Amino acid sequence: MNIKPHNRHLLVKMIEEEEEAKTGFLLPEDYERPKSEHVKVKVLDDSACSLPFGNYVIVPRHMIQEIEIGDTTFHLVQENYILASVE
């Protein structure tokens, strides 16, 4: 299944963050390390953006919309939330 973004949205792929090395501190089992405010994503498709597909960009984490259709999860973000491109 595939979707086509519209209305200045980008279809993006979330880039998994690397786990940092273990430290000597004991933390509760359910502790989740705070996530950064911004995230690097890969542009898969767009509605009318000038970015080539495959580029990596930085966007605010809270602006990414997660859409689940059946067993597939898609991530969309509006074009105007791109803060920077990564080369």
Side-chain angles (χ1 to χ4, degrees):
M1 178 177 291
N2 205 0
I3 64 173
K4 175 70 177 161
H6 292 280
N7 197 22
R8 296 184 56 205
H9 279 82
L10 304 173
L11 178 63
V12 297
K13 177 182 177 184
M14 300 287 292
I15 306 300
E16 298 297 325
E17 297 176 355
E18 297 176 11
E19 287 290 323
E20 291 184 13
K22 300 284 183 183
T23 63
F25 294 102
L26 295 177
L27 299 171
E29 288 181 15
D30 61 344
Y31 175 78
E32 289 187 28
R33 195 176 74 201
K35 296 185 177 185
S36 68
E37 183 179 344
H38 301 94
V39 63
K40 180 170 104 173
V41 296
K42 183 176 183 179
V43 177
L44 300 178
D45 198 0
D46 69 358
S47 60
C49 183
S50 60
L51 289 171
F53 302 130
N55 273 18
Y56 292 94
V57 295
I58 305 296
V59 296
R61 184 181 300 274
H62 70 280
M63 297 311 299
I64 296 175
Q65 298 179 30
E66 187 174 283
I67 299 171
E68 294 183 22
I69 301 175
D71 295 339
T72 309
T73 302
F74 300 98
H75 295 94
L76 294 171
V77 65
Q78 282 192 338
E79 176 185 342
N80 60 320
Y81 289 114
I82 295 175
L83 301 175
S85 57
V86 179
E87 295 180 11

